[in-house]
Amino acid sequence: MSGSTQHWTASRGRALRGTIRVPGDKSVSHRAVMLGALAEGTTRITGFLEGEDTRATARVFEQLGVRIETPSASERIVHGVGLHGLRPSASALDCGNAGTGMRLLAGVLAGQRFDSTLVGDASLSKRPMRRVIDPLSRMGARIDATGDGVPPLHVHGGQPLHGIEYTLPVASAQVKSALLLAGLYAKGTTRVREPHPTRDYTERMLQAFGWPIRFGPGEAELEGGHVLRATDVAVPADFSSAAFFLVAASVIPGSRLTLERVGMNPRRTGLLAALRLMGADIREENAGEQGGEPVADLRVSYAPLHGAVVPESLVPDMIDEFPALFVAAACATGTTTVSGAAELRVKESDRIATMAAGLRSLGVAIEETPDGAIILGGPLEGGRVDSHGDHRIAMSFAIAAQVAQAPVRIDDVANVATSFPGFVELASGVGFGLEPG
Ligand code: S3P
């Protein structure tokens, strides 16, 4: 997206206080648009994430002939066209910054009768797509990538698909979901196994839309040839957006903050376990359910953190939360060790390298390893850091600046709008020192 030179100046604010609700879940919002589009009937989505990533997915389906209404920022009404009702688009389909959008769409488009081209922004154009192209090709799809397997992707239509059994080499909900979505169009059974269970939103939502599917931790299987029936989707608040406030309130002395109705799918909440290992004080209250997903209010109070060895078993359940966890580690007493997280190198940026460079420039001792880092907590200095257009890196350094001894300039922050529109306003409102420009 444009505006890559946009920056923030972040500096010590006050203790965080108040009760806030973060925007809707990105993963659930993407899937709700996709399944709503492919369903028979009208799907009403509430709590939709009005972010650049999910808006890009909605725009792509509009280009494919789906009518989508926006009665308010957090609502969408998707007029489903059925599994075979999409129409070809004369122009390329732009997924923006969204890996989820592109990888899941590759699965959907592999099953169409027409050709499509998927493009993305500078970051997405560097991200690996072989991980979906290879197994989709085994199902009969024909997808051309560029160079060494990066976007743009050209997805050939009219290829009959058949189900396969596939064990994912790395835990990835995006790859699993791409195969299951292609499986809707395939003859026979598509069976996916994962080395570690990942978020199961696609499976749960397919079930909610009436598609017969069998799934459990680390496996899912379905047959082609059924029908998706429209249903309403209530999107919970995004745990990954709540994560920035969980860390911030844990490290800013005197903070006491409540985050309302946060999505608590166990495949997303690994950061809670990691922060608690480090001594954080986070309580879950008013546990309930929203749109078939567990939700709770999270009450977080400042607590002195100590370093910890983050268990590798937690990695898939907190894959998007490592930039924030690195900041918690920098503020903790002693050493924190992260391992088994090589996937961080192929996210919106190389999150190990980007966090290491930024923390080092704030005076933190951090050693990069191929699949993680060793971080020694200590006082943070002010300075200038580059988020490399990665939304989660930018927001993580905004937290670091709240405890730094001098202001921090954070460069290349425009992409925060991909997942967290309104972050600056919400964060400033509870006490962050954070100014655009
Ligand atoms: C997502 C899965 C994760 C995550 C991403 C969203 C999803 O990616 O990092 O932000 O919605 O399925 P991987 O499945 O590639 O690990």
Side-chain angles (χ1 to χ4, degrees):
M1 60 181 287
S2 61
S4 61
T5 52
Q6 206 175 305
H7 67 271
W8 292 336
T9 304
S11 56
R12 277 188 188 215
R14 48 186 166 80
L16 305 186
R17 289 293 167 96
T19 297
I20 53 173
R21 194 176 287 215
V22 298
D25 189 278
K26 181 154 73 72
S27 295
V28 176
S29 297
H30 277 298
R31 288 158 170 84
V33 169
M34 292 185 187
L35 295 195
L38 299 176
E40 318 242 315
T42 302
T43 291
R44 181 160 173 268
I45 307 170
T46 50
F48 182 76
L49 170 64
E50 177 82 341
E52 293 298 334
D53 276 12
T54 42
R55 285 169 55 172
T57 290
R59 271 195 304 270
V60 164
F61 279 95
E62 284 174 334
Q63 273 180 265
L64 294 167
V66 179
R67 192 158 69 84
I68 302 177
E69 292 175 72
T70 304
S72 73
S74 62
E75 276 177 284
R76 291 292 183 280
I77 296 173
V78 185
H79 297 272
V81 294
L83 214 54
H84 300 284
L86 297 179
R87 289 201 310 264
S89 164
S91 48
L93 306 168
D94 189 353
C95 300
N97 190 244
T100 307
M102 185 173 287
R103 293 194 177 115
L104 272 59
L105 271 160
V108 171
L109 295 172
Q112 306 304 317
R113 283 181 297 256
F114 52 84
D115 286 20
S116 309
T117 301
L118 290 165
V119 298
D121 72 0
S123 151
L124 184 52
S125 299
K126 287 190 222 141
R127 295 183 66 188
M129 293 294 149
R130 285 260 171 261
R131 52 182 60 199
V132 286
I133 296 173
D134 288 347
L136 288 173
S137 304
R138 289 205 212 171
M139 295 177 75
R142 261 184 73 207
I143 303 175
D144 305 325
T146 309
D148 47 353
V150 297
L153 300 183
H154 187 77
V155 187
H156 295 265
Q159 311 296 314
L161 303 183
H162 52 83
I164 56 166
E165 267 196 54
Y166 188 71
T167 301
L168 270 59
V170 287
S172 166
Q174 294 180 355
V175 177
K176 170 178 66 175
S177 301
L179 301 189
L180 293 175
L181 292 171
L184 306 182
Y185 293 91
K187 197 163 174 246
T189 305
T190 300
R191 186 174 296 132
V192 188
R193 292 203 180 83
E194 314 174 276
H196 300 283
T198 63
R199 62 193 75 187
D200 55 1
Y201 298 125
T202 304
E203 297 91 308
R204 287 164 177 252
M205 209 182 284
L206 282 168
Q207 193 166 54
F209 277 75
W211 196 283
I213 175 166
R214 295 167 294 283
F215 63 98
E219 58 190 352
E221 103 180 20
L222 54 72
E223 276 89 42
H226 299 281
V227 172
L228 291 169
R229 301 212 183 278
T231 183
D232 292 346
V233 180
V235 182
D238 198 320
F239 182 88
S240 296
S241 296
F244 300 106
F245 292 97
L246 295 179
V247 170
S250 294
V251 302
I252 301 170
S255 296
R256 205 168 56 239
L257 203 58
T258 300
L259 298 153
E260 284 183 330
R261 316 305 290 155
V262 180
M264 295 290 286
N265 183 308
R267 298 281 74 83
R268 296 291 299 285
T269 50
L271 179 75
L272 278 183
L275 286 176
R276 283 174 178 150
L277 265 182
M278 298 171 76
D281 177 0
I282 304 171
R283 291 163 208 209
E284 294 164 43
E285 294 171 352
N286 302 321
E289 215 193 78
Q290 185 177 319
E293 286 289 328
V295 293
D297 296 343
L298 297 178
R299 241 164 84 88
V300 50
S301 305
Y302 166 76
L305 301 185
H306 49 80
V309 175
V310 178
E312 289 193 7
S313 59
L314 285 179
V315 167
D317 295 346
M318 55 180 292
I319 192 64
D320 292 332
E321 280 60 78
F322 281 97
L325 185 276
F326 277 31
V327 172
C331 299
T333 313
T335 303
T336 297
T337 307
V338 172
S339 62
E343 274 296 292
L344 297 178
R345 296 205 178 270
V346 291
K347 293 294 178 188
E348 285 83 329
S349 70
D350 175 341
R351 287 185 171 158
I352 297 175
T354 316
M355 284 307 297
L359 284 175
R360 249 182 236 126
S361 66
L362 301 184
V364 176
I366 172 166
E367 186 191 321
E368 261 190 67
T369 61
D371 65 344
I374 301 159
I375 303 155
L376 177 63
L380 276 76
E381 297 159 11
R384 184 168 177 173
V385 295
D386 188 344
S387 72
H388 288 272
D390 184 328
H391 54 140
R392 301 202 196 281
I393 303 276
M395 291 185 274
S396 298
F397 280 114
I399 304 169
Q402 303 310 307
V403 290
Q405 286 155 351
V408 178
R409 175 180 159 134
I410 307 166
D411 285 325
D412 204 355
V413 299
N415 275 344
V416 167
T418 60
S419 69
F420 205 147
F423 173 74
V424 171
E425 296 74 14
L426 200 60
S428 312
V430 293
F432 271 63
L434 184 59
E435 301 275 335

